[in-house]
Amino acid sequence: MSPRESLPGKCQFLLAVALCTAEAFAQTQVAVSERDYFEELPVVLSVSRLAQPLDEAPGAVTVIDREMIRLSGVRDLMDLFRLVPGFQVAKPPSGAGIVTYHGLGESYPRGMQVLLDGRSMYSPFFYGGVNWNLIPVALDDIERIEVVRGSNSASYGANAFLGIANIVTRHASEGHGVTAEVREGNQGVHDRFLRLGGGSATNVRVSALSQQDDGIVTQPDHIGKRLFDARADIRLGLRDELQLQAGTLDVGLQVGTVGKAGDPSRLQQLRHQFVSLGWRRALDEFGELAVRYYRAEESGADAFTWLAGGMTFPIDYGFRSQRDDLEVQHTFRPWPDARLVWGGELRSDIVSGKQFYGTTEPVRLGLGRIFGNLEWRLHPAWVANVGGTIERDSNTGTSAAPRLALNWHVAPGQTLRAGISGAFRSPSLFESRGYGPVVATNGLLLGYYYFQRDKLVPERLISREIGWLGEFRPINLTADLRVFAEQVNGHMATVQTTLTAPYCPTLDPLCAAASSTAPSSYNMQDVSIRGLEYQVRWQPAARTRVILNQAFVRMSQQLRLPDNPLAVVTQIGQSTSEIINMQIQAAASAPTRNLSLMLMQTLPGGLELSATYSSVGALKWTQNDRISGYKRLDWRLAYPFRVGPTRGELAFAVQGDGAKRTEYRSFNVMSTRGYATLRLDY
Amino acid sequence: MTYTWCGRAAAAGETVWLALSDGGGPYAEAAEAARREIQRGGASAEIATWQQFLAPGRAPPPLVIAIGSGAYAGLAESDLRAPLLATLLPRAAFERHAERAGRQGRTATAVYLDQPPARLLDLLRLTLPERRRIGVLYGPESRQWAPALRQASAERGVTLAVAEMAAGAGLFPLLQDLIDGSDMLLAMPDPHVFNSLTVQNILTATYRRRIPLIGFSPAYVKAGALLAVYSTPSQVGAQAGEIARAWLAGRPLPAPQSPREFSIGVNGDVARSLGIAFAPDATEKWIEQLRLKERAP
């Protein structure tokens, strides 16, 4: 008997009366039916922290699995986000890649959170945000990436603001044996990868990666990475498992501009190292207790001497940060038709950097949060998720992010979702306390690298969404649509503000010159983001797969300060053009149209062809420039083979085939990159 | 109840009802496959939900194919007199209502979703010949399979380690003992034991002991089972359609039967991590071998 027909009459039109729904649920669980054969098993963890099928999660999720990563042919993690609707990706020179969801990108976008096996990659250093060069993972060690399209402060607190990616690496018991990979290409592409894995009760995996390329080849932009990463999964009986991970990533990055005295071309050395210890205990068939501690340290060496006007300015952008984080999470069934996950997290960030805080003394941020999500099956066809986070940090006080979502299985394979959630992004230590005077050896104050004087508060977001997930089995097609209205209040923007006494530069003691300004951040704008995005996955034939992503985004913004640039100039001393530029940039920071189409085809002889076409509309990454939109074709042709017990693959991949394009700024012209990869598994 | 209702030649224009438990999903997929088969015989078929067919004023059809247990239950309880062919449902769901359907003087037969125990065990012998201790965790809904599985395992000289979970009882202590005494775990559909809430922890527990889990749907393979044998909605739908076509051509309705066609899914990553090497074309070969064995006289 199918669940809906089995309901007693009094339940027919009832959604939320607990007695009746409990009865209905109990009935659905009693008898075996075709549901047992066709139900989807949980696949995503990242929305609510509960393992849920996509159609019962309280948000939109795009899953990028191992196979998709392999077939995409990408070398850089950030490029995978081109395959997710609503995301923008660019590679600026002299820096990390930038990835944003629904705009609000700048040179250092700060709205997206990335978790790597639960460790926050949101940097405590500099502006915050994610440094995509410093994520210590080899693509081949990734099991899957769950990308939440929307905000998720309700589960992961501050900074899971607009877009969150949860990278899950493979269990050490997977991928036993040896994997070796060699890659060579133009534009300085020169990669090596080696992984060893084995064990039984204790499984260990060790990976080493060396990766190099010339970045944006029109200027010195070389990057070299060396990663050493190990993971051990240790079984302690049927219920318990320990997980140990440790790694070091060293990055050498060419930054600056040839001939520019204040920002000369030079090599910046960055390092991320971490150790993580996790314990999981299965309490029963439903419940779990998980505890994890990690320490992550980042450091950078980047010092040079700036000679100007006969004076010497020693500049040191070196920094060091240390994060300690402890998290406890408990999952259980409070009553038969509900599941609850709840827990808490404590974090300490310690950061130092002379050019960022004006002192070599460490700056500290303490943070504590509690989170929870109740998944309640109100009726066999209705699932409610209610949850949220309350967080307190020593910098900005207490913030809360609630969420409510309702999923309705309208018919088999057809689900509608409605949700509303709150999110917040706390100012980073640098945004709120940054102070960077540029002082010559003779004591002369030239100006400020950054100077935050006013207090910042967390920016807030209210997101409303309607989602539809459709599965059309006879034609092997699934569709995922999200219609959204995201309202950001108090968006923090950095602008040049006029200096006043006693902070005037030595050469302009009255701050009379228009050039006596310093960058500073304000909760300056309210931004409205509306639109729709969808993903369609279709397998028209056994050897053919197609993924289509498209997003339509409309942004508008309003100044929080009196909505009149002249009044703002008077109030906080900014130039009119600065304000106008900032307003224009925010409203144009996501393309109104964005499309990507990926085709995967197995050819005769086992050859695998995959191709991704992207079309990105015009957008402004920065205040002073605009790209007019571009089209890009990436493709890959691979020949998998087998020699005795050794499996291998020879692949050739091309990124940006055809015409030159600009993805970040109009003068950063990118051309075709191609590389060949030989891989052996034995 | 009798299964040998005499078949008859279809009159031109007669339309078989394909009554779905619910629109869309696997129901629609099975119905489309059944309709294709019926149309090959020159007859026609109409697809709708079972409630729509029961609307007043509709002339009774020559035959109804109930797709899913909801449709079968609803039609078995109705006053409709036409012979019933149920599919896309497990045996237990069919048998729950078969008595009532029979009592009303109606003929009923089925194409089940359950794989026959002999096929399951033959597959395990083919794929994991060195593993000879098969653990099965029964629940209230799956224990009906115990005698048949016991017999099939005895015939093949493998050991069956069995535990039975009472409704509402804890699963983990049973699982612990069972895993200790087995070198693979065969999952039999039973929502008390295997459901979307429990499967993650069961898979993790077996995986940690390096015990492969054999599932019964593609979702299990995706979630981390080593392999699964199952029949797709199209496969059982087509089989039901063939039966309908034969019946319309004058053949009697057969007794309830297991699905003839089946698929095997393998999780290559799990296989590798368990140190099990399967050839790239292994599943096709297994299906071929199992077919040969099943068709042997």
Side-chain angles (χ1 to χ4, degrees):
Chain A
M1 187 182 270
S2 92
R4 243 156 288 160
E5 278 86 62
S6 72
L7 293 183
K10 62 182 173 174
C11 289
Q12 288 286 332
F13 299 103
L14 190 125
L15 290 183
V17 181
L19 282 174
C20 203
T21 52
E23 190 184 337
F25 183 77
Q27 288 193 26
T28 66
Q29 292 296 291
V30 167
V32 64
S33 78
E34 63 277 9
R35 261 176 65 125
D36 295 291
Y37 290 87
F38 299 114
E39 83 179 325
E40 286 294 321
L41 296 169
V43 287
V44 293
L45 289 159
S46 306
V47 191
S48 66
R49 292 173 177 257
L50 290 165
Q52 294 173 308
L54 280 171
D55 63 1
E56 298 198 345
V61 188
T62 297
V63 178
I64 301 172
D65 60 16
R66 278 182 73 70
E67 193 179 18
M68 207 166 144
I69 296 172
R70 187 176 65 86
L71 293 175
S72 70
V74 308
R75 299 167 61 242
D76 288 309
L77 183 62
M78 64 167 195
D79 281 325
L80 291 170
F81 292 85
R82 298 180 194 273
L83 303 172
V84 186
F87 277 80
Q88 295 86 52
V89 178
K91 165 70 182 79
S94 297
I98 50 182
V99 180
T100 65
Y101 178 65
H102 293 171
L104 297 182
E106 299 162 25
S107 300
Y108 307 100
R110 315 183 271 288
M112 186 176 167
Q113 172 65 289
V114 173
L115 301 170
L116 174 56
D117 289 327
R119 306 192 307 277
S120 169
M121 294 291 119
Y122 200 93
S123 176
F125 158 69
F126 198 34
Y127 270 103
V130 172
N131 186 331
W132 291 85
N133 283 337
L134 270 187
I135 298 182
V137 68
L139 284 182
D140 203 69
D141 286 335
I142 295 175
E143 175 66 35
R144 66 180 191 283
I145 304 173
E146 297 179 7
V147 185
V148 179
R149 292 166 14 234
S151 63
N152 203 0
S153 287
S155 288
Y156 295 100
N159 310 329
F161 192 68
L162 268 173
I164 165 169
N166 192 354
I167 303 167
V168 181
T169 65
R170 305 184 89 191
H171 194 272
S173 63
E174 296 179 78
H176 279 185
V178 180
T179 297
E181 204 171 77
V182 177
R183 180 179 296 132
E184 292 291 330
N186 70 340
Q187 302 187 355
V189 170
H190 181 73
D191 304 343
R192 304 284 182 265
F193 175 66
L194 179 69
R195 178 178 55 221
L196 311 172
S200 63
T202 298
N203 283 284
V204 180
R205 175 188 76 214
V206 180
S207 305
L209 171 76
S210 147
Q211 187 169 316
Q212 292 181 39
D213 64 62
D214 291 339
I216 307 246
V217 290
T218 49
Q219 65 185 87
D221 190 32
H222 182 83
I223 182 169
K225 296 186 189 181
R226 279 177 195 280
L227 169 71
F228 186 77
D229 175 35
R231 169 170 172 164
D233 290 281
I234 304 159
R235 284 200 311 265
L236 305 169
L238 186 68
R239 289 170 183 274
D240 298 279
E241 188 170 49
L242 279 182
Q243 188 195 89
L244 278 162
Q245 279 177 277
T248 289
L249 172 63
D250 283 297
V251 177
L253 182 67
Q254 197 85 42
V255 297
T257 308
V258 176
K260 191 170 173 183
D263 184 20
S265 181
R266 64 198 186 275
L267 188 70
Q268 189 182 64
Q269 296 283 357
L270 303 168
R271 167 175 283 190
H272 179 115
Q273 47 191 358
F274 73 97
V275 57
S276 162
L277 174 65
W279 169 60
R280 284 175 181 278
R281 154 160 277 224
L283 300 172
D284 54 36
E285 57 268 40
F286 307 105
E288 185 189 75
L289 182 66
V291 182
R292 191 196 49 238
Y293 163 78
Y294 70 87
R295 167 173 285 191
E297 293 176 359
E298 289 184 349
S299 58
D302 179 9
F304 59 91
T305 304
W306 178 11
L307 300 172
M311 286 174 291
T312 303
F313 296 91
I315 304 288
D316 186 356
Y317 290 137
F319 70 96
R320 181 170 290 278
S321 76
Q322 175 184 311
R323 169 171 291 171
D324 290 275
D325 188 289
L326 176 70
E327 184 181 274
V328 180
Q329 178 177 306
H330 177 211
T331 309
F332 68 105
R333 281 219 302 186
W335 63 89
D337 46 4
R339 285 191 299 161
L340 180 68
V341 58
W342 72 289
E345 186 171 355
L346 288 172
R347 178 182 295 172
S348 151
D349 284 343
I350 302 174
V351 187
S352 59
K354 185 157 192 325
Q355 197 57 55
F356 301 99
Y357 299 101
T359 168
T360 49
E361 289 299 303
V363 182
R364 291 165 196 274
L365 177 72
L367 179 151
R369 67 168 72 115
I370 54 169
F371 53 82
N373 186 84
L374 175 74
E375 175 202 80
W376 184 11
R377 191 172 297 276
L378 302 168
H379 173 281
W382 290 85
V383 177
N385 280 279
V386 186
T389 290
I390 298 172
E391 179 172 308
R392 183 174 176 78
D393 79 52
S394 58
N395 201 21
T396 49
T398 304
S399 299
R403 173 174 56 209
L404 174 65
L406 200 56
N407 292 36
W408 175 29
H409 302 306
V410 184
Q414 304 297 324
T415 301
L416 288 175
R417 179 187 69 246
I420 179 163
S421 63
F424 56 96
R425 185 179 83 76
S426 302
S428 65
L429 279 171
F430 176 72
E431 277 175 303
S432 57
R433 291 155 72 174
Y435 172 64
V438 180
V439 185
T441 44
N442 63 6
L444 179 134
L445 173 69
L446 185 72
Y448 300 87
Y449 172 69
Y450 184 87
F451 189 0
Q452 185 64 27
R453 280 163 293 171
D454 294 1
K455 186 171 166 53
L456 290 171
V457 296
E459 58 184 85
R460 299 191 176 275
L461 179 144
I462 294 176
S463 166
R464 295 176 180 83
E465 66 166 31
I466 302 281
W468 167 60
L469 283 170
E471 188 186 7
F472 302 90
R473 291 177 64 115
I475 53 167
N476 285 319
L477 184 147
T478 58
D480 166 348
L481 170 77
R482 177 172 190 254
V483 182
F484 50 85
E486 290 151 346
Q487 177 65 39
V488 179
N489 289 330
H491 176 58
M492 287 176 260
T494 305
V495 286
Q496 291 290 341
T497 56
T498 307
L499 290 167
T500 51
Y503 305 112
C504 300
T506 314
L507 298 175
D508 183 16
L510 299 174
C511 292
S515 60
S516 288
T517 61
S520 190
S521 297
Y522 292 89
N523 290 102
M524 191 176 282
Q525 284 168 300
D526 294 341
V527 182
S528 164
I529 310 165
R530 287 162 190 272
L532 70 86
E533 66 202 24
Y534 67 85
Q535 176 166 78
V536 173
R537 292 182 181 228
W538 181 36
Q539 185 163 9
R543 293 162 177 271
T544 309
R545 277 178 300 156
V546 178
I547 298 175
L548 171 66
N549 304 303
Q550 196 166 18
F552 301 91
V553 178
R554 287 264 180 273
M555 299 182 76
S556 60
Q557 67 81 47
Q558 226 178 356
L559 283 181
R560 252 176 115 72
L561 296 162
D563 193 8
N564 170 349
L566 284 172
V568 177
V569 172
T570 318
Q571 186 167 337
I572 59 173
Q574 297 164 346
S575 79
T576 315
S577 63
E578 180 86 12
I579 295 290
I580 293 171
N581 276 342
M582 184 201 72
Q583 290 182 278
I584 294 171
Q585 194 264 330
S589 58
T592 53
R593 285 156 186 264
N594 208 347
L595 174 141
S596 68
L597 177 68
M598 184 175 182
L599 169 76
M600 293 158 274
Q601 175 73 46
T602 308
L603 302 170
L607 282 171
E608 286 176 339
L609 176 69
S610 45
T612 305
Y613 169 77
S614 317
S615 167
V616 179
L619 80 155
K620 283 176 75 72
W621 283 109
T622 60
Q623 289 178 14
N624 302 321
D625 203 354
R626 172 182 183 275
I627 59 159
S628 55
Y630 62 92
K631 298 180 182 3
R632 170 174 166 146
L633 176 68
D634 299 346
W635 58 268
R636 175 182 186 268
L637 186 64
Y639 173 64
F641 59 88
R642 186 181 274 268
V643 183
T646 303
R647 286 175 300 124
E649 187 183 71
L650 186 60
F652 186 69
V654 172
Q655 291 188 316
D657 197 0
K660 294 185 173 179
R661 66 198 185 281
T662 56
E663 297 188 359
Y664 175 65
R665 298 187 75 162
S666 54
F667 49 86
N668 296 138
V669 179
M670 300 180 76
S671 51
T672 306
R673 176 180 287 180
Y675 38 86
T677 309
L678 174 68
R679 177 198 170 98
L680 297 172
D681 293 280
Y682 48 95
Chain B
M1 173 171 42
T2 150
Y3 296 119
T4 49
W5 179 272
C6 282
R8 55 206 260 300
E14 274 193 325
T15 301
V16 173
W17 288 359
L18 292 167
L20 313 185
S21 291
D22 226 324
Y27 304 108
E29 183 183 341
E32 279 302 332
R35 175 151 72 181
R36 277 195 296 274
E37 286 301 324
I38 291 166
Q39 286 172 342
R40 279 180 55 197
S44 63
E46 184 186 348
I47 299 175
T49 63
W50 66 275
Q51 295 98 329
Q52 287 168 328
F53 279 124
L54 289 185
R58 293 200 57 137
L63 176 73
V64 183
I65 302 184
I67 296 179
S69 29
Y72 176 63
L75 293 167
E77 310 272 331
S78 75
D79 297 330
L80 190 75
R81 284 283 171 271
L84 257 177
L85 166 56
T87 192
L88 206 76
L89 80 181
R91 190 177 90 181
F94 178 73
E95 288 177 349
R96 252 195 303 281
H97 298 279
E99 199 186 327
R100 191 187 297 263
R103 202 165 50 230
Q104 294 177 358
R106 204 170 346 169
T107 306
T109 189
V111 177
Y112 300 141
L113 278 170
D114 316 80
Q115 301 301 316
R119 179 181 299 159
L120 290 175
L121 290 180
D122 284 337
L123 176 69
L124 298 184
R125 301 298 302 127
L126 268 179
T127 52
L128 301 163
E130 73 292 352
R131 292 179 187 248
R132 307 183 73 86
R133 292 180 305 165
I134 303 168
V136 187
L137 182 53
Y138 293 120
E141 288 286 297
S142 54
R143 68 168 168 235
Q144 51 158 333
W145 293 103
L149 271 174
R150 192 162 52 233
Q151 190 190 337
S153 57
E155 287 166 4
R156 288 159 184 80
V158 292
T159 312
L160 216 54
V162 169
E164 187 172 334
M165 196 184 100
L171 186 148
F172 250 59
L174 283 176
L175 191 64
Q176 171 122 40
D177 290 345
L178 192 62
I179 286 178
D180 285 343
S182 319
D183 43 23
M184 67 174 107
L185 187 67
L186 175 63
M188 299 297 285
D190 186 323
H192 295 272
V193 183
F194 297 98
N195 59 57
S196 63
L197 303 182
T198 62
V199 72
Q200 215 77 26
N201 278 358
I202 294 176
L203 277 167
T204 312
T206 53
Y207 197 70
R208 287 176 188 163
R209 290 290 180 93
R210 302 182 68 74
I211 302 286
L213 182 94
I214 314 303
F216 48 81
S217 75
Y220 274 79
V221 176
K222 207 163 127 194
L226 172 66
L227 55 90
V229 54
Y230 52 86
S231 296
T232 62
S234 293
Q235 287 170 328
V236 293
Q239 190 171 342
E242 284 170 29
I243 292 173
R245 201 176 66 206
W247 183 82
L248 290 168
R251 305 257 300 274
L253 281 181
Q257 52 189 250
S258 301
R260 189 184 61 236
E261 298 297 325
F262 55 93
S263 310
I264 296 171
V266 171
N267 187 321
D269 290 332
V270 173
R272 274 190 290 283
S273 69
L274 291 171
I276 298 168
F278 291 139
D281 56 348
T283 52
E284 287 86 359
K285 283 187 177 155
W286 295 331
I287 291 174
E288 197 50 42
Q289 284 171 283
L290 290 171
R291 274 198 189 130
L292 282 173
K293 189 158 194 281
E294 288 175 13
R295 283 171 197 171

